[in-house]
Structure formats: structure tokens, C-alpha cells
Amino acid sequence: MSRYIARRLLLLLPTLIGIITLNFFIVQLAPGGPVDQTIARLTSQDVSTTSRIGLSTPAPTQTNAASQYVGARGLDPELIKAIEKQYGFDRPMHERYFKMLWDYFHLDFGNSYYQGRPVIDLIVERLPVSISLGLWSMLLIYMTSIPLGIAKAVRDGTAFDAWTSALIFIGYSIPSFLFAIILLVLFAGGAYYDWFPLKGLSSRDFDSLPPLDQVIDYIWHMALPVTAITIGGFATLTMLTKNLFLEEISKHYVMTALAKGLTEQRMLYGHVFRNAMLIVIAGFPAALIGILFTSTLLIEVIFSLRGLGLLGFEAILTRDYPIVFGTVFCFTFISLILTLIGDITYTLVDPRIDFETRDV
């Protein structure tokens, strides 16, 4: 196992470089970059833009009619060069690419174009929000899905199984972001009840509250977003748990043990559970990746939670490239580490699994 882990860690760096390279060229070649957006603000008479660049608003000129930037007609070429230098676009693309790799090697993600802060500080500030959403949601999903899946397997074919299956498929068919909107309308001051806050992760006076009240305030704010993610995510795990238990229950060793006098409860939780839960328990890291990369982003946008997903989403809209590349790097690194943890978990749950003979 140690050799397998070493091989995976050695592949970590080239995988990160490959993904960052692909995203770099895709984003750089996309139209509407930061230079274009700054030009658009200038042509709309946004005085704050020129003050940030350090130049006064220029008099109209026709000298750069052949500029490569859409909307640059009529602006002073010196101003265009100043904008390019501000965002680092005064150098060729390959130089910008190799400089980015060198900076990333030293964990220097640069500064945000528009927020004026180091990207690493923004990521460290926002990452706990996304991780807490993902972890609490996954814990609730597992705590709900595993007991429900076992109960459905034991009562397979009964009315309980049919009704719970109908509810599960209804929940599966409705996206988590739509559940979030429904919860906001029903319980966050919409047309019905005003029981929960509309947005944010804490109240304004959170720092002045006693420790116990801070915990209550945190749970109060997390209730709706975590519920929205959980409702949309437990259906697959519940049905997987049920099917795995049904498969194990039908095996010969279960019938033999029951025939020898072993109780049903001891058989279910002493033997069947360990064998059936191998895939479910070991799949926790991979499931957490799915929650972090899909559900939490939309939930953060809907509930205005200052997480990593919302940070990356806003950066894409404003073409804040340092934040875009920094969040992609962070998500990729987390994904690779959690995938490796998932493989290690398999061997801990079932020592018979050997990754040493498996190709990476």
C-alpha cells in the first residue's frame, strides 16, 4: 500500500499542472477578459476605473482604431497599455503561463484584480464555509440513508418500502437548488413563515454572543442550506444501501448462520453490515467531492454564503483570473487528496483489497 500511495503522490504534481494548463489556455482565449471589461467601464464614464489605473480620463482619439480590444476605439493607446500592464497582459501568453506555474510552485496565487487582496487569503477565508457545508450535509445524508436503506431491505416489498421509495424518487427528481428556493419561500420570510435567516452564515452580532448562543446561531443559519443539499443527495445512497443489503442477505452464509441459530439482528449488524457497507463507507470521500463541486456552489449563491464556490463564481463573472485559477487549483488538489483517501479507506474497511498490484 505504501508504494501505491507514493506513486499517487508522485502523480499529484503533473496532474495539477495538466489541469491548470488546460484551464489557463481556455480562460485566456475566452473573450471579455479583464482588459475588455475595464475598457467597457471607461467607455461608460466610470471614473473609479481610471483612478484605480492611475490615469485621468483621456480625451477622445482615433489613433487606436485597429486595437485588438472590442470597444477600444476612441481611447488613448497609452491608457490601453497601462491597463494591459496592470493586469499583466503586456507580456506574451507563454510568459504569463510560465510565471504562473513558477508562482504556484511557491504557493503564490497572486492578488485579486478587483478586491486588492492576496488570493491565498481569500481562499483561506472562504474554504471553511464550503467544507462545513459539505461535511454537515454528508454526515446528515449518511445518517439518514444507511438506516433507511437497511430498513427498506429488511421490509422489501412491503407498504413501507413502496411509500419510502416514492418519497425518495420525488426528492431525487427535484434539484437541490430548487429545494433551496422552496425552503426560502416557505421558511425564510417569503409568503409563509419567517423562521430562518434569508442569507449569510452568522448574525451581525455573532462575535458579541456567548459561546452557546454562537453555536445556536450557527445551526440556525446552516439549517436551510444543509437541508437543501441533504434532501437532494440522500436518494442514491439509500437505494444503494438497500440493494447491497439485499444482495448480502441472499447469500448462502447468511442462510447457514440463521439455520445454526444466530439471531437476525446479530446477523444483520455483525456480518451483513460489514460486507454490505464496504462500498458505502469507502465512497465517502468521493461523495464529498461531488457535494463540494456541484451542490454547494449553487447553495452558496442562493443563500449568499461567502464560500469558495461563490468566490469562484463571482470571479468567473468578473474575469478575475487569479481567483479563477486559484479556486481551480484548490478544488483540484482537494479532489486528488480525497480520491487517495478513498482508496486508503477501502483497504481499512476490507484488508483483502490490495492496491499494490493495481495500475495507478
Side-chain angles (χ1 to χ4, degrees):
M1 188 63 186
S2 58
R3 287 185 296 174
Y4 173 76
I5 295 176
R7 292 199 303 269
R8 290 292 296 272
L9 291 176
L10 288 175
L11 283 174
L12 189 65
L13 182 60
T15 303
L16 282 171
I17 292 176
I19 294 176
I20 289 296
T21 300
L22 181 63
N23 282 275
F24 175 84
F25 287 105
I26 290 176
V27 171
Q28 292 285 332
L29 295 174
V35 177
D36 292 293
Q37 296 210 9
T38 302
I39 291 173
R41 293 190 183 95
L42 285 172
T43 54
S44 63
Q45 303 298 321
D46 189 346
V47 179
S48 63
T49 304
T50 54
S51 63
R52 188 171 67 245
I53 299 170
L55 296 174
S56 58
T57 305
T61 177
Q62 299 295 328
T63 57
N64 67 330
S67 174
Q68 59 176 318
Y69 301 107
V70 178
R73 184 185 298 271
L75 293 180
D76 190 346
E78 293 299 324
L79 178 61
I80 302 298
K81 291 180 181 179
I83 297 173
E84 290 178 336
K85 185 176 181 180
Q86 180 193 8
Y87 297 120
F89 282 78
D90 57 331
R91 290 174 292 182
M93 184 182 297
H94 68 277
E95 291 186 13
R96 300 199 304 269
Y97 168 70
F98 287 112
K99 182 181 184 301
M100 186 190 71
L101 289 183
W102 178 256
D103 291 339
Y104 274 37
F105 182 76
H106 295 87
L107 294 180
D108 180 10
F109 299 145
N111 294 329
S112 168
Y113 287 159
Y114 306 112
Q115 300 190 40
R117 295 179 57 191
V119 174
I120 187 65
D121 292 346
L122 292 172
I123 291 176
V124 171
E125 178 184 304
R126 302 291 190 93
L127 188 58
V129 177
S130 298
I131 291 180
S132 62
L133 275 176
L135 285 177
W136 286 119
S137 301
M138 286 306 305
L139 288 175
L140 284 178
I141 288 172
Y142 269 68
M143 291 171 60
T144 304
S145 299
I146 292 178
L148 182 58
I150 296 174
K152 286 175 63 62
V154 174
R155 299 173 177 84
D156 183 43
T158 63
F160 172 81
D161 183 37
W163 280 105
T164 53
S165 295
L167 294 176
I168 287 172
F169 287 125
I170 291 174
Y172 182 73
S173 63
I174 303 178
S176 59
F177 73 88
L178 185 55
F179 266 121
I181 296 174
I182 294 173
L183 292 175
L184 284 177
V185 173
L186 291 178
F187 304 113
Y192 297 92
Y193 303 101
D194 190 10
W195 294 347
F196 296 94
L198 184 62
K199 61 181 181 179
L201 200 58
S202 61
S203 301
R204 294 182 178 179
D205 59 343
F206 180 82
D207 294 333
S208 63
L209 296 175
L212 180 59
D213 291 340
Q214 287 183 344
V215 173
I216 295 174
D217 183 77
Y218 174 77
I219 296 174
W220 183 49
H221 282 79
M222 290 285 287
L224 292 187
V226 170
T227 301
I229 299 175
T230 303
I231 291 177
F234 80 99
T236 303
L237 185 60
T238 301
M239 299 308 297
L240 177 62
T241 303
K242 174 192 174 182
N243 294 333
L244 290 173
F245 258 78
L246 287 176
E247 182 181 354
E248 287 295 321
I249 290 173
S250 63
K251 291 184 177 179
H252 293 295
Y253 78 90
V254 175
M255 300 179 184
T256 302
L258 291 175
K260 290 183 177 181
L262 195 66
T263 62
E264 182 178 347
Q265 292 296 320
R266 187 175 178 183
M267 170 54 64
L268 281 176
Y269 296 100
H271 299 277
V272 175
F273 183 85
R274 183 178 61 182
N275 295 328
M277 288 295 99
L278 172 63
I279 297 178
V280 174
I281 296 175
F284 184 90
L288 181 58
I289 293 174
I291 292 291
L292 288 175
F293 290 172
T294 55
S295 299
T296 56
L297 191 154
L298 295 173
I299 297 302
E300 287 174 15
V301 173
I302 293 172
F303 287 94
S304 299
L305 300 175
R306 297 172 61 81
L308 196 60
L310 182 59
L311 177 68
F313 176 75
E314 293 174 344
I316 291 173
L317 294 180
T318 59
R319 300 298 194 272
D320 199 338
Y321 289 163
I323 294 180
V324 172
F325 296 136
T327 53
V328 169
F329 179 89
C330 185
F331 277 131
T332 303
F333 182 77
I334 293 174
S335 175
L336 293 173
I337 294 298
L338 288 179
T339 303
L340 179 59
I341 293 175
D343 290 343
I344 297 174
T345 308
Y346 272 109
T347 61
L348 295 177
V349 176
D350 190 349
R352 295 172 298 177
I353 298 177
D354 183 17
F355 286 100
E356 294 288 353
T357 58
R358 170 185 161 182
D359 294 331
V360 179

